[in-house]
Amino acid sequence: MAAAVARGVSVPELPRLLARDPYLAPFAPDFQRRYTLFHDRLRNIEENEGGLDKFSKSYKTFGVNQLVDGGLYCKEWAPGAEGVFLTGDFNGWNPFSHPYKKIDYGKWELFIPPGQDGFSPVPHGSKLKVVIRSKNGEILYRISPWAKYVARVDRNVNYDWIHWEPPLPYLRKHPQPKKPKSLRIYESHVGIASPDGKVASYKNFTYNILPKIKDLGYNCVQLMAIMEHAYYASFGYQITSFFAASSRYGTPDDLKELIDVAHSLGITVLLDVVHSHASNNSEDGLNKFDGTDSCFFHSGPRGTHSLWDSRLFDYSNWEVLRFLLSNLRWWIEEYGFDGFRFDGVTSMLYHNHGIGTGFSGDYHEYFGLHVDEDALIYLIMANHMIHLLHPESITVAETSEHHAVRNLPETALHISAREVSGMPALCCPIAQGGSGFDYRLAMAIPDKWIQIIKELKDEDWNMGNIVYTLTNRRYEEKYIAYAESHDQALVGDKTLAFRLMDAEMYTNMSVLSPLTPVIDRGIQLHKMIRLITHALGGEGYLNFMGNEFGHPEWLDFPRKGNNESYHYARRQFHLADDHILRYRFLNAFDRDMNKLEERFGWLASPPAFVTETHESNKVIVFERANLIFIFNFHPSKSYAEYRVGAETQGKYPFIYYSAWS
């Protein structure tokens, strides 16, 4: 590292970053060092691997891949193994009949010729295992880290590796849509996308949910819990097989169809990618693949996340870099994903993983030895690769504080991983010394709404504090704003609708019953909070599925603590379709809000110009995209002929949204 820094590769556009934020000037050497490390790693890939394009397509050679003549080429990286073998249905589960040959740098390879009929010796749908003979003589049965499909067969606890090579694979019919100028994200989980108490399917999402998303005016779907994870209640954040689409929702071809149909509707599809850690499962995960506690991970305490009970990647390792970059490339090119939301970026960026750290905003918190620059360089490399090879792709950084799913006894938890650390230049171009992300999540906004609703009376809401939270973001870095996401839907927490209306959502949401003050206030504020967040809070907007119509219940996956119940692991979309229920008003408002943005494009416009924050009147006024937004948050006063200033003289048509429009 010292030698790399001494060479000092110039950051091409660093002066532009420092001119925009002069307070970063003392840290110019840090940006210089980071860029040099990235540049050197990229140069090494070019010199030793034939280029980044070839290096990031290693899924074509690692794992088990079928050749044009029907034979199989198998390759694994197992530096701690004494012997590697392939077994499965194809050889009657003989553990040693098909040994790999050891080659350079801890890699092993095996070629299996085609059968006499010219077909593959391993039929599609048959089971496989890698057999590892460890250095202490132990025989281990493992799933290849590059396995493309794994599933639980019958009542097995562990996943089985199933060779996926269908004779007629799904062929994509529709082109990738252009990158949206205004990003309106519908955060989704395939398994809960049904009112039924079961794991819903890719097919259900394709034919029942995608049309709803299109109708609501969202132009992007963010799919959670797709990378295979053994524990459903982890919300997809304990990955066991990184190249396998979760089989609990259907086949790989079903997911490919889902993405293809989304593209036909003009909807961009993002994958919630988890490269911040991995499940500590060894029978059906990456952990101890070659019999050692390292291989893909740091050994010892550094290789284990103390809160997540999971393994931490060694981002300085050449083969780990190959694995993770190829994983990103795989999801884009094999499935057609249009980009990623990177989970757990804070955990990656700092050696302390953000645990017990309250970021104050002091720039010294983002530079120095406590920053894991190996992880940072990996993220820069990932963004460089994605945007170089697929310019229409989108990357979003989700970095955070840490808290476990509330009160769950299980160890495989979903952890919120959110970017509240404020790492400068995270969403700036790499040429400026940035990390190259397109967007970062505005994590402070939902926390502020929860704090206001929980702790303050309506008359005590502070307009200036609301505006500050919605507008406090780094200049020329794009933010995804949201009032609530999946985090606020989890059991132990409450959605905005539930906080505002609580038990009355079960009794007073029918239009046949009297409109109570609680329901009236809740519906009004639900709409106002979402619109002001949408219009003022960022350059993109996100909503978690069902929250657009005020889904009445929290989210709780089946687990021992609830007797494996699916009752709360579902979304009751039928509530918004029922004309007798008031949920339809919230649903219609969400649609109109997105359609209005689509018409005027405020998310793609410069930040808003706030003209009034009147504390006693509880009025907020701002201009954006040639629109004037006027919000009256007063709990009891309405105003006639209220005068507000406007930057541009002229006549302004009036658009009014009541609670019942």
Side-chain angles (χ1 to χ4, degrees):
M1 182 179 288
V5 174
R7 283 194 293 275
V9 181
S10 176
V11 187
E13 299 176 25
L14 182 59
R16 179 175 174 181
L17 174 66
L18 301 183
R20 189 165 64 246
D21 187 352
Y23 290 101
L24 289 174
F27 306 101
D30 293 86
F31 287 108
Q32 180 72 55
R33 182 182 63 256
R34 293 171 180 181
Y35 187 82
T36 299
L37 292 170
F38 156 70
H39 183 273
D40 281 5
R41 189 157 295 180
L42 183 61
R43 179 176 54 82
N44 286 337
I45 291 173
E46 297 292 334
E47 292 176 355
N48 297 298
E49 294 284 350
L52 185 60
D53 184 14
K54 182 180 178 182
F55 184 64
S56 60
K57 275 190 171 180
S58 291
Y59 59 80
K60 289 182 175 292
T61 53
F62 280 76
V64 174
N65 287 279
Q66 187 164 309
L67 303 176
V68 291
D69 67 356
L72 292 179
Y73 180 71
C74 312
K75 193 175 185 180
E76 300 293 346
W77 177 61
E82 282 292 313
V84 178
F85 311 84
L86 188 69
T87 189
D89 293 335
F90 78 101
N91 67 357
W93 292 95
N94 185 321
F96 307 121
S97 65
H98 287 74
Y100 287 66
K101 175 186 175 183
K102 189 172 185 178
I103 54 177
D104 57 350
Y105 306 112
K107 286 174 271 198
W108 303 75
E109 67 177 0
L110 165 67
F111 173 70
I112 307 177
Q116 293 182 349
D117 56 4
F119 289 102
S120 170
V122 179
H124 167 68
S126 59
K127 296 179 186 177
L128 292 171
K129 278 287 177 75
V130 172
V131 180
I132 302 287
R133 180 189 290 126
S134 70
K135 289 185 176 179
N136 63 8
E138 189 178 5
I139 301 300
L140 307 169
Y141 286 79
R142 296 288 189 250
I143 291 175
S144 170
W146 304 80
K148 299 169 185 174
Y149 185 62
V150 299
R152 282 198 175 112
V153 179
D154 300 324
R155 296 183 176 273
N156 289 353
V157 174
N158 294 323
Y159 278 82
D160 285 307
W161 173 19
I162 299 174
H163 183 58
W164 188 263
E165 200 69 54
L168 295 174
Y170 184 86
L171 297 178
R172 209 174 300 165
K173 302 177 182 66
H174 304 282
Q176 177 190 32
K178 292 290 184 181
K179 185 186 300 186
K181 292 182 179 179
S182 295
L183 196 60
R184 302 182 298 273
I185 302 174
Y186 196 78
E187 186 183 34
S188 305
H189 187 291
V190 169
I192 66 169
S194 162
D196 301 322
K198 63 179 184 180
V199 178
S201 67
Y202 294 123
K203 291 281 189 183
N204 167 73
F205 197 94
T206 302
Y207 295 105
N208 295 326
I209 308 304
L210 284 178
K212 292 180 183 290
I213 296 170
K214 177 67 174 178
D215 177 64
L216 284 167
Y218 291 93
N219 57 15
C220 179
V221 172
Q222 178 183 302
L223 291 180
M224 311 177 68
I226 294 298
M227 302 168 73
E228 191 60 272
H229 49 291
Y231 185 47
Y232 190 43
S234 75
F235 221 135
Y237 291 113
Q238 293 277 343
I239 307 301
T240 47
S241 291
F242 283 74
F243 285 82
S246 181
S247 58
R248 55 174 53 85
Y249 318 126
T251 69
D253 283 1
D254 293 341
L255 175 58
K256 292 175 183 178
E257 180 189 33
L258 186 162
I259 296 168
D260 199 21
V261 171
H263 287 170
S264 76
L265 298 172
I267 296 173
T268 293
V269 187
L270 302 182
L271 173 67
D272 193 351
V273 70
V274 185
H275 282 181
S276 50
H277 63 125
S279 168
N280 66 8
N281 286 18
S282 56
E283 293 290 330
D284 52 6
L286 287 186
N287 190 26
K288 299 181 180 179
F289 172 69
D290 66 353
T292 71
D293 80 329
S294 53
C295 199
F296 289 92
F297 311 109
H298 290 290
S299 61
R302 190 180 175 189
T304 302
H305 197 293
S306 60
L307 288 185
W308 295 350
D309 190 30
S310 55
R311 298 307 312 275
L312 297 173
F313 287 106
D314 179 359
Y315 300 103
S316 68
N317 188 292
W318 190 267
E319 294 303 322
V320 172
L321 191 64
R322 181 198 306 276
F323 180 78
L324 295 177
L325 291 177
S326 297
N327 189 232
L328 297 173
R329 192 85 183 270
W330 164 261
W331 290 109
I332 292 175
E333 298 190 356
E334 181 70 16
Y335 283 91
F337 278 100
D338 305 298
F340 306 96
R341 191 211 69 169
F342 282 77
D343 180 77
V345 173
T346 291
S347 178
M348 298 172 70
L349 289 177
Y350 307 99
H351 289 298
N352 62 15
H353 311 298
I355 299 172
T357 302
F359 292 95
S360 66
D362 187 321
Y363 277 4
H364 288 87
E365 296 172 333
Y366 312 123
F367 303 95
L369 295 177
H370 54 286
V371 176
D372 188 340
E373 291 195 337
D374 289 326
L376 179 59
I377 300 312
Y378 161 67
L379 291 171
I380 295 172
M381 185 71 71
N383 278 304
H384 171 74
M385 180 199 73
I386 292 166
H387 293 116
L388 174 70
L389 300 176
H390 296 276
E392 294 299 318
S393 293
I394 297 167
T395 59
V396 180
E398 197 231 21
T399 54
S400 81
E401 334 154 285
H402 299 76
H403 59 274
V405 168
R406 291 79 176 169
N407 304 318
L408 295 191
E410 290 86 345
T411 57
L413 301 171
H414 158 60
I415 305 294
S416 168
R418 307 183 294 174
E419 200 339 68
V420 294
S421 74
M423 170 71 78
L426 196 68
C427 295
C428 289
I430 296 169
Q432 294 181 20
S435 301
F437 283 99
D438 294 300
Y439 298 89
R440 67 202 299 169
L441 293 184
M443 308 304 305
I445 294 175
D447 293 341
K448 175 56 63 176
W449 287 124
I450 290 172
Q451 183 250 325
I452 289 172
I453 294 171
K454 281 179 65 175
E455 300 177 8
L456 300 177
K457 297 178 181 177
D458 290 1
E459 57 268 26
D460 295 331
W461 287 26
N462 185 293
M463 301 296 103
N465 189 241
I466 291 172
V467 168
Y468 175 79
T469 302
L470 290 170
T471 58
N472 181 29
R473 53 189 185 269
R474 295 190 60 80
Y475 183 62
E476 289 193 1
E477 294 197 43
K478 294 181 180 180
Y479 284 68
I480 304 293
Y482 58 101
E484 53 186 343
S485 69
H486 70 275
D487 282 314
Q488 288 74 43
L490 292 169
V491 64
D493 206 338
K494 291 183 179 181
T495 63
L496 285 178
F498 218 53
R499 287 188 183 280
L500 291 166
M501 295 177 277
D502 217 326
E504 288 203 23
M505 296 188 76
Y506 295 111
T507 57
N508 297 322
M509 286 297 278
S510 170
V511 296
L512 303 179
S513 63
L515 178 63
T516 67
V518 169
I519 297 297
D520 189 14
R521 169 184 176 271
I523 288 178
Q524 296 275 14
L525 284 176
H526 192 274
K527 293 180 174 182
M528 293 174 68
I529 287 170
R530 298 175 86 76
L531 179 57
I532 197 171
T533 299
H534 202 309
L536 188 58
E539 290 70 38
Y541 178 76
L542 178 143
N543 164 67
F544 179 63
M545 61 190 307
N547 286 357
E548 68 276 4
F549 62 83
H551 198 280
E553 292 174 337
W554 54 84
L555 180 60
D556 188 13
F557 287 90
R559 54 189 175 84
K560 291 180 180 178
N562 63 15
N563 294 318
E564 305 295 338
S565 172
Y566 284 86
H567 181 73
Y568 295 110
R570 60 194 182 114
R571 297 280 92 179
Q572 301 180 64
F573 291 105
H574 60 281
L575 297 175
D577 299 329
D578 193 330
H579 284 268
I580 294 181
L581 299 178
R582 293 185 168 105
Y583 295 104
R584 68 182 174 92
F585 301 130
L586 296 175
N587 198 69
F589 182 86
D590 202 76
R591 179 193 302 114
D592 292 344
M593 179 174 68
N594 284 321
K595 297 292 186 181
L596 190 65
E597 196 287 326
E598 186 175 18
R599 177 181 170 191
F600 289 96
W602 61 68
L603 291 172
S605 299
F609 176 56
V610 180
T611 57
E612 181 174 339
T613 54
H614 201 296
E615 295 301 338
S616 58
N617 289 344
K618 302 298 179 192
V619 170
I620 296 172
V621 183
F622 60 88
E623 298 181 31
R624 194 175 187 189
N626 295 318
L627 294 172
I628 299 178
F629 294 85
I630 306 172
F631 289 84
N632 174 17
F633 281 96
H634 202 289
S636 58
K637 288 184 181 179
S638 296
Y639 305 102
E641 300 182 3
Y642 196 93
R643 295 170 66 92
V644 299
E647 186 175 23
T648 305
Q649 184 178 358
K651 292 185 178 181
Y652 289 81
F654 192 64
I655 304 171
Y656 176 73
Y657 284 95
S658 74
W660 315 115
S661 59

